[in-house]
């Protein structure tokens, strides 16, 4: 998608709502939200055109936007599957079987972390740090929704329930 395609009136309005939360000189503060909004519009990833569009709209040097997009793990820099799966394998989840949950998903989908399924349905994110739901370990996040106390059967139910 070109920058013009991405910055539709609804996308601009949503970015503007975030910009309005900060002081007038603080457009830079809205860059995280703007990247998230544009990423959603661009089917889950930030192309070079998407980064340029955000930089242009916020009046920031492209390199600054690029730095932010490269730093945070919630931004994708290549096309990814429709549903994003993040499996936590940090300490609490590791102790409670997080690695077997991850290997179950890898086997089921036939992909490794950082890859998408060939049909474009799923994207398994590279291994995540603690997602702050340790009491519900082992856990995963699918399309920003937390699923806790997982078993392989529960994982199958969740994945089967997605379009
Ligand atoms: S260690 Fe998995 S959510 Fe904290």
């Amino acid at each position: 998608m070109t920058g013009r395609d991405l910055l539709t009136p609804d996308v601009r309005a949503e970015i503007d709502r975030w910009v309005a939360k900060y002081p007038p000189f603080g457009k830079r503060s809205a860059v995280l939200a703007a990247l998230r909004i544009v990423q959603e519009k661009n089917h889950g990833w930030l192309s070079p055109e998407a980064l340029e569009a955000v930089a242009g709209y916020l009046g920031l040097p492209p390199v600054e936007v690029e730095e932010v997009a490269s730093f945070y793990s919630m931004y994708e820099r290549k096309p990814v599957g429709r549903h994003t799966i993040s499996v936590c394998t940090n300490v609490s989840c590791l102790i409670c079987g997080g690695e077997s949950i991850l290997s179950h998903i890898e086997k089921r989908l036939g992909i490794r972390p950082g890859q998408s399924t060939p049909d474009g349905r799923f994207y398994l994110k590279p291994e995540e740090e603690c997602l702050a739901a340790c009491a519900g370990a082992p856990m995963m996040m699918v399309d920003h929704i937390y699923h806790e106390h997982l078993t392989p059967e529960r994982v199958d139910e969740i994945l089967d329930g997605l379009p």
Side-chain angles (χ1 to χ4, degrees):
M1 276 194 211
T2 66
R4 182 186 290 256
D5 294 333
L6 291 168
L7 292 176
T8 56
D10 57 314
V11 165
R12 287 168 188 260
E14 206 179 335
I15 295 173
D16 290 348
R17 270 198 296 280
W18 280 92
V19 169
K21 292 175 194 266
Y22 302 105
F25 51 84
K27 269 191 167 182
R28 179 171 283 118
S29 305
V31 73
L32 289 174
L35 286 171
R36 177 184 54 74
I37 294 161
V38 170
Q39 177 168 273
E40 275 174 29
K41 185 75 180 177
N42 197 43
H43 309 294
W45 73 291
L46 290 167
S47 60
E49 294 78 17
L51 294 178
E52 264 174 44
V54 169
Y57 194 65
L58 294 179
L60 298 173
V63 67
E64 278 189 29
V65 175
E66 170 80 39
E67 283 169 357
V68 173
S70 308
F71 182 79
Y72 291 99
S73 66
M74 69 258 207
Y75 302 120
E76 304 301 338
R77 304 301 311 283
K78 62 180 195 301
V80 294
R82 249 181 3 265
H83 299 291
T84 297
I85 305 168
S86 307
V87 181
C88 177
T89 51
N90 215 285
V91 178
S92 301
C93 289
L94 185 71
I95 291 168
C96 295
E99 286 211 325
S100 62
I101 293 297
L102 178 60
S103 63
H104 176 75
I105 294 172
E106 287 176 339
K107 271 192 216 113
R108 184 193 155 115
L109 300 182
I111 54 174
R112 305 273 301 154
Q115 297 177 337
S116 296
T117 53
D119 63 0
R121 189 167 171 224
F122 294 107
Y123 169 53
L124 183 56
K125 278 192 81 104
E127 287 189 45
E128 288 281 3
E129 293 302 320
C130 175
L131 288 168
C134 308
M139 63 81 65
M140 68 178 178
M141 183 171 67
V142 181
D143 298 340
H144 305 293
I145 296 170
Y146 276 36
H147 300 278
E148 301 178 1
H149 305 294
L150 292 172
T151 60
E153 295 74 28
R154 182 68 191 124
V155 167
D156 288 343
E157 278 173 22
I158 293 162
L159 299 186
D160 284 342
L162 294 169

